Amino acid sequence: MDTPHSDNPASRRTVLAAAGAVVASMAIGAVPARAASARRRGLPGDGRLPLPDPIAQLTPRQRAGQRIIYSYPGLTPPDSLLTAIRSGEAAGVIFFGENITGTSQIAAVVAQLVEANESSPVKAPLLLMTDQEGGQVRRLPGAPELSEKQVGEASDPRSAARDAGTGAGQNLAGVGMNLNLAPVLDVYREPGDFSDSHQRSYGTDPADVGALGGAFVTAQQRTGVAATAKHFPGLGAASASANTDLGPVTLDQSLSELRDVDEAPYRAALDAHVKLVMLSWAVYPALDATHPAGLSSTIIQQELRGRLGFTGVTVTDALEAKALSSSYTTANRAVLAAGAGMDLLLCSARDIGQGQAATDGLIDALADGTLSGDSFDAATQRIAALRASLTGVGTTN
């Protein structure tokens, strides 16, 4: 989704900690846990808890499906998507402008998806999401109307950021959605560069970007709608023509610049308990010269989780992005991303077959040992905790 078409890591950890119990709530016939009983900060070690036995009740396709976010073309969800949801084989759905004509129309669609999910053996809310950043990047009409750049230039930027976060959350919750793929935490360098050209950056000062992003996250999550900080470790140094949707992008900042400028706003977002972080598809040679961030265990596991201490849910950018090698099939991309440490896989090509192919790839990789079952289920725990925390948001009660 690149275009409009602490020193004490434990103090920043955002995982919803009774994850073992929450995974049990996803098993066949169980009841979803409430968010208040599922949230704790500062899990020891890597934040994992022992996986309870009920996960074994999931079929291989259900187990893999807990990692998949689907998309669909047009205004009407196809029967194949409804079937996957009813069967417990989908974690959620992302909506785009082509899916939406107005709030009443999309609210009816969301209600249809929620109804399908009520028949699922996996008793947890669907993740129902869109990109409601503000300004040019809004899938729903209405708030937040100000772009991030306009927020940063407001007479009272923090108040404007809080208003934007509140407006985004209320808008999404009003139609039954429970997750926003916002805010963008890019620190842009030059006027007119990639992040600035679409007004998707609060500014050029990492402290300001962090403060405003944190204010947005806090305000939005108070409405019950989960926020997503993106695109780690940052696209602020990208030129106007550098777009990972359209082709490979390499950003050559030094390690000190990456950490002091581009990653700095994420500290504030983690302090605000942001529930998700989306990884970039750019390559950052200072951290990993070989892999895009979303396929890099170094960037995901060592930089984001290890150095910054994030224990929430990671989500890929669009799995079909052209920044990834054309030799990779959807199944390859899904397996590589999951193996590197991505939790949710965003199948956003508006093609149900894409989500099905990603699911097939995960099933095969688990069966032949390409993917570790323990690591896979740890990711499922994090997703389960997130989903349980959103019980009652919008029309999901």
Side-chain angles (χ1 to χ4, degrees):
M1 263 50 65
D2 283 341
T3 63
H5 89 224
S6 103
D7 296 330
N8 179 11
S11 70
R12 300 188 176 89
R13 291 179 177 171
T14 61
V15 72
L16 303 170
V22 178
V23 171
S25 80
M26 293 180 65
I28 296 172
V31 177
R34 302 298 297 180
S37 65
R39 186 180 293 111
R40 184 181 71 183
R41 295 174 68 201
L43 285 177
D46 64 358
R48 291 173 50 191
L49 292 175
L51 190 69
D53 290 341
I55 195 69
Q57 298 179 44
L58 298 179
T59 68
R61 184 160 292 275
Q62 288 168 341
R63 185 185 184 199
Q66 305 314 304
R67 311 285 293 273
I68 304 297
I69 301 298
Y70 277 87
S71 61
Y72 63 93
L75 300 177
T76 305
D79 288 342
S80 54
L81 175 57
L82 297 175
T83 297
I85 291 170
R86 291 189 190 103
S87 301
E89 297 168 3
V93 179
I94 180 172
F95 303 97
F96 291 91
E98 72 177 83
N99 306 129
I100 301 170
T101 59
T103 53
S104 60
Q105 173 267 333
I106 194 61
V109 169
V110 167
Q112 182 182 16
L113 299 175
V114 170
E115 182 180 9
N117 192 53
E118 289 172 354
S119 301
S120 169
V122 178
K123 300 302 180 184
L126 283 176
L127 298 174
L128 299 165
M129 66 189 70
T130 195
D131 299 271
Q132 194 75 2
E133 300 172 11
Q136 298 177 38
V137 185
R138 288 180 297 160
R139 312 306 187 195
L140 290 169
E145 296 186 357
L146 294 183
S147 68
E148 289 195 1
K149 183 172 185 176
Q150 289 171 320
V151 167
E153 293 175 344
S155 57
D156 185 348
R158 290 204 187 197
S159 178
R162 287 193 294 268
D163 288 346
T166 299
Q170 292 175 341
N171 199 355
L172 268 64
V175 299
M177 296 185 199
N178 53 20
L179 196 158
N180 191 10
L181 296 172
V184 175
L185 296 185
D186 293 346
V187 181
Y188 83 89
R189 303 304 203 270
E190 301 291 338
D193 67 12
F194 178 75
S195 297
D196 182 57
S197 62
H198 298 295
Q199 300 193 13
R200 299 175 77 198
S201 171
Y202 292 115
T204 58
D205 185 303
D208 289 343
V209 172
L212 299 181
F216 182 103
V217 167
T218 298
Q220 183 190 276
Q221 292 192 160
R222 282 177 178 161
T223 72
V225 174
T228 308
K230 65 184 188 184
H231 309 76
F232 187 85
L235 292 170
S239 67
S241 61
N243 185 341
T244 57
D245 283 350
L246 304 179
V249 173
T250 297
L251 300 178
D252 288 313
Q253 305 99 299
S254 66
L255 183 59
S256 61
E257 183 180 354
L258 263 174
R259 289 177 170 173
D260 295 343
V261 178
D262 296 283
E263 293 183 15
Y266 288 86
R267 291 185 177 272
L270 268 59
D271 284 340
H273 310 290
V274 70
K275 294 190 176 185
L276 300 97
V277 172
M278 177 182 284
L279 277 288
S280 159
W281 285 138
V283 175
Y284 301 82
L287 290 169
D288 185 336
T290 305
H291 302 98
L295 301 183
S296 170
S297 60
T298 298
I299 293 175
I300 300 164
Q301 305 287 14
Q302 297 180 29
E303 197 72 5
L304 177 60
R305 294 206 184 278
R307 196 178 76 84
L308 294 184
F310 180 63
T311 52
V313 171
T314 54
V315 57
T316 68
D317 203 341
L319 204 63
E320 70 277 6
K322 291 183 171 58
L324 304 183
S325 171
S326 59
S327 66
Y328 293 159
T329 65
T330 295
N332 294 149
R333 294 170 186 225
V335 171
L336 289 169
M342 299 305 303
D343 296 333
L344 286 170
L345 308 178
L346 202 58
C347 298
S348 54
R350 286 73 133 186
D351 178 1
I352 302 303
Q354 182 191 28
Q356 294 169 337
T359 301
D360 290 340
L362 297 182
I363 293 170
D364 291 343
L366 282 166
D368 67 16
T370 300
L371 290 177
S372 158
D374 287 346
S375 296
F376 195 96
D377 291 335
T380 302
Q381 288 181 319
R382 290 187 288 269
I383 296 164
L386 171 64
R387 292 176 67 178
S389 79
L390 301 175
T391 300
V393 179
T395 61
T396 59
N397 43 8

